[in-house]
Amino acid sequence: MTQTNRNTILFISLIIGMLLLFLVNISLGSVSIPIKDVFNSLTTGNCSKETWQYIILNYRLPKAIAAILVGMGLSISGLLMQTLFKNPLAGPYVLGLSSGASLGVAIVILGTSFLPTFLSSILISSYGIVLASSLGSFLVLLAVLAVSQQLRDTMAILIVGLMFGSLTNAIVGTLTYFSTAEQLQKFTFWSLGNLGNLSWSSIAVLSICIGIGLLLSVFSIKPLNALLLGENYAKSLGLNYNKARLIIIFATSILAGSITAFAGPIAFIGLAVPHIAKLVFQTSNHTILFWSTMLFGAIIMLICDSISQLPGSDFTLPINAVTSIFGAPIVIWLLIRKRKMIG
Amino acid sequence: MKFIPNTLLYFLVLVLFIQCKDVAKKEAEITTAKNEIQYAKGLEIYNYEGFSVVKITNPWPDAKENFTYVLQQKNSIIPDSLKQFTTIQIPLKSIVVTSTTHIPALELLGVENTLVGFPNTDYISSVKTRKLIDAGKVREVGTNETLNSEVLIDMAPDLIVSFGLNNSNPTLDNLQKSGLKVMLNGDWTEQSPLGKAEWIKFFGALYGLNSKANTIFSDIEKEYNTTLALAKKATSKPTVLSGAMFQDQWYVPQGQSWASLFLKDAQANYLWADSNGTGSLALPFETILEKAQEAEFWIAPGDFSSLKEMSDSNPHYKQFDSFKNKKVYSYGVNKGAKGGIVYFEWSPTRPDWVLKDLISIFHPELLPNHKLFFFQKLE
């Protein structure tokens, strides 16, 4: 079996797997709804109970779509970061991007007392939060990049990213110090991450943002492959390095920013999924990696969301806890593997 | 003229008696005094000649330890056995309290002018106390978790009434080390409506106003019980949903919590009245919709002040019958000058007002002339 055939089979099974998991995700939840009713509400709209139909169509369906969007977006932004910084440990979370987004959202939710009333009422709408968090992550990424121009060493850049993360976290901490209990509650729950509670209009906004981000990433596939060979080599191939880098940064920040705004800072997906894709497909070619990372991201996020709902019980887990259980072992394994290669 | 020698004789006998008394006897006396508290489970007050003993038996939920304080009037003698406890000179001339729920007690006792500091005064909504704040008589002393020690030490109030969330309260320990008197107040762990209200006696004891506090409380008690008897006449028991959603978790009060007991007393069928516990339950949206979609009333959906604000924050709210029929009642409308919610401040002290509000919501025919105080119907 050639590599191409193997990849085709893998891709087909991934797509089928994603569709199956999508249906499974919609069928499971704290209220047990018979499969027949699930299908009826999705197709004909004749569900035996009105509340069930509402739950399926307006709660679980947007949640499942959100899981797919978030999974795809975060994984791709992780892939872009890892290639751009030539660092297997890079990702939106590690580089302080999510912290930047948190800062933006914190200023909107917690800092309303410092803002004029007309502005705060605009900012508190879902679009305001998206704007603030995209802006926050964009600024942090730019700062990391400016420093990375000065520093060629990837480990140093990573530390700088973490420093920016600490810095923004400190500002968020200071803001929380001066906010009311209600604002704090709001912000705390936002920071635990969640996929539920997104209305169709939020899903639409999120889809547009993720769409733009993914489209920019598709255009970046060629430059990304060139970047693997090093910056100078890429330039000698006729690549406009600065332009390519700017597009990659913009794609990453719109992906990470919009996701963080709607679903909160979701950990590890961006870091771990690209590695899973690289392991399964055994290639560093971004033409293949792009699509496989996207599918794996969606699949893993759907699985995580189903687990976090603990089907049939009245308990739920924060999505962040579940994703980290997936992500942490992979990062540990990576570190060990890296150590071995150096040794 | 016969009574003078007599009195003198009695006095001599008494002096001798006191002289002969040993410490053990004193201890026995301390345990034989009558506890002044009926309803509150976390508070005990014993009054003696010239001093009283206050015990806080439940300073935080599931506390293993309790705190004893001795309140000493001027020039009175404290038995040796009580010297180990914190002694506070009363009546107080200056006080720092840390929760808005303490403010009504000070106002009702007429001693609000002794308040010299409060963490985050914006939360206070009472008009009398707000006047004092606006006149610059109440200083900001940090936030609850991290009281500003320097400011407090500089102010040197007679007493700081605070609360502990668990047994580690480093800030309070530090303040005590620097010679300030700190008392822990456990009113917030109290679950029964009258139990919470009875904490006014705690503040009464601090100002030597025990009898005034007792009178105020027994009036509230009488009013509450009369209203309770009235509620028993209700012919229906409407179903009630409570709480609101944060992200994808819905928080409802548990069955034995203070909020739930009120609903029971107001003859309503609160849908989670059977759940165990005194805190709140976190439930997924699906479960709530399944159970409470047809509930007739929705009480206390967070601090919203209009239906539009609710549906803007979460479109799922529109699915509930109570929302569709505009039977949502919130405490988020009645606010103080700086946005402090009146309900949070006054409801623990005036459970009778809360109960009247709820009865007039659920059974308007029983209280036709009642004007809602804490709750407002959302439009």
Side-chain angles (χ1 to χ4, degrees), chain A:
Chain A
M1 196 164 71
T2 60
Q3 186 72 22
T4 330
N5 278 344
R6 183 173 165 271
N7 285 353
T8 316
I9 292 165
L10 271 175
F11 269 120
I12 290 167
S13 48
L14 278 182
I15 290 166
I16 291 170
M18 187 179 91
L19 291 173
L20 274 178
L21 280 165
F22 181 73
L23 291 173
V24 167
N25 184 283
I26 288 175
S27 327
L28 293 175
S30 48
V31 172
S32 307
I33 300 175
I35 293 286
K36 196 174 71 165
D37 284 306
V38 173
F39 274 96
N40 283 347
S41 15
L42 286 174
T43 50
T44 56
N46 292 330
C47 190
S48 56
K49 248 179 111 173
E50 208 181 314
T51 47
W52 285 356
Q53 188 165 338
Y54 184 83
I55 287 172
I56 298 283
L57 289 182
N58 289 295
Y59 186 71
R60 288 186 192 175
L61 194 59
K63 188 159 65 66
I65 292 171
I68 289 176
L69 289 172
V70 167
M72 286 180 173
L74 282 179
S75 314
I76 292 295
S77 71
L79 181 71
L80 296 181
M81 289 291 91
Q82 285 170 11
T83 305
L84 183 66
F85 286 111
K86 292 200 255 330
N87 186 328
L89 295 177
Y93 210 68
V94 178
L95 286 181
L97 260 180
S98 295
S99 314
S102 294
L103 179 64
V105 171
I107 288 171
V108 167
I109 295 182
L110 305 175
T112 39
S113 48
F114 306 109
L115 301 168
T117 355
F118 74 92
L119 203 67
S120 64
S121 62
I122 294 168
L123 282 176
I124 213 79
S125 72
S126 57
Y127 301 94
I129 287 182
V130 172
L131 206 69
S133 93
S134 304
L135 212 64
S137 56
F138 188 63
L139 287 175
V140 168
L141 196 73
L142 277 184
V144 170
L145 218 88
V147 174
S148 73
Q149 292 286 58
Q150 308 293 319
L151 298 165
R152 290 276 169 230
D153 175 23
T154 46
M155 268 302 160
I157 294 167
L158 206 64
I159 291 167
V160 168
L162 289 171
M163 287 298 119
F164 276 113
S166 309
L167 203 69
T168 48
N169 282 340
I171 301 171
V172 170
T174 314
L175 279 174
T176 58
Y177 198 83
F178 292 107
S179 21
T180 67
E182 294 78 38
Q183 288 172 325
L184 271 184
Q185 215 165 4
K186 218 173 176 171
F187 184 72
T188 308
F189 282 103
W190 174 83
S191 66
L192 282 173
N194 92 99
L195 299 168
N197 202 20
L198 289 179
S199 61
W200 280 112
S201 59
S202 315
I203 293 283
V205 177
L206 186 61
S207 310
I208 292 166
C209 295
I210 304 280
I212 294 168
L214 292 179
L215 214 64
L216 289 172
S217 315
V218 171
F219 287 127
S220 306
I221 286 178
K222 234 192 196 127
L224 283 167
N225 278 335
L227 278 175
L228 281 179
L229 305 167
E231 189 182 322
N232 292 333
Y233 191 84
K235 278 179 179 164
S236 70
L237 285 175
L239 174 76
N240 183 342
Y241 180 71
N242 284 339
K243 186 182 147 197
R245 193 164 63 176
L246 201 70
I247 290 174
I248 291 170
I249 290 169
F250 188 72
T252 305
S253 56
I254 198 169
L255 288 171
S258 61
I259 288 170
T260 312
F262 283 115
I266 289 176
F268 275 122
I269 290 285
L271 174 60
V273 173
H275 291 293
I276 297 174
K278 281 173 196 165
L279 282 171
V280 173
F281 282 85
Q282 289 163 9
T283 175
S284 54
N285 180 354
H286 282 78
T287 321
I288 293 169
L289 274 187
F290 177 82
W291 302 106
S292 56
T293 303
M294 215 159 76
L295 287 171
F296 268 120
I299 285 175
I300 286 175
M301 213 57 208
L302 283 170
I303 295 173
C304 288
D305 179 58
S306 298
I307 295 172
S308 80
Q309 295 302 312
L310 296 174
S313 82
D314 276 348
F315 291 99
T316 51
L317 298 168
I319 189 80
N320 256 345
V322 185
T323 51
S324 298
I325 289 168
F326 264 93
I330 288 183
V331 176
I332 292 167
W333 175 82
L334 257 180
L335 283 168
I336 292 168
R337 191 164 163 264
K338 222 179 148 123
R339 165 94 23 215
K340 271 187 187 149
M341 276 163 69
I342 294 164

Side-chain angles (χ1 to χ4, degrees), chain B residues 1-31:
Chain B
M1 299 302 278
K2 224 176 111 185
F3 66 90
I4 293 173
N6 255 352
T7 321
L8 222 108
L9 192 72
Y10 281 142
F11 183 71
L12 276 174
V13 168
L14 196 71
V15 167
L16 277 171
F17 191 61
I18 288 172
Q19 295 277 325
C20 300
K21 239 183 184 159
D22 59 349
V23 174
K25 198 81 183 182
K26 269 277 186 214
E27 292 232 3
E29 205 182 278
I30 284 155
T31 50

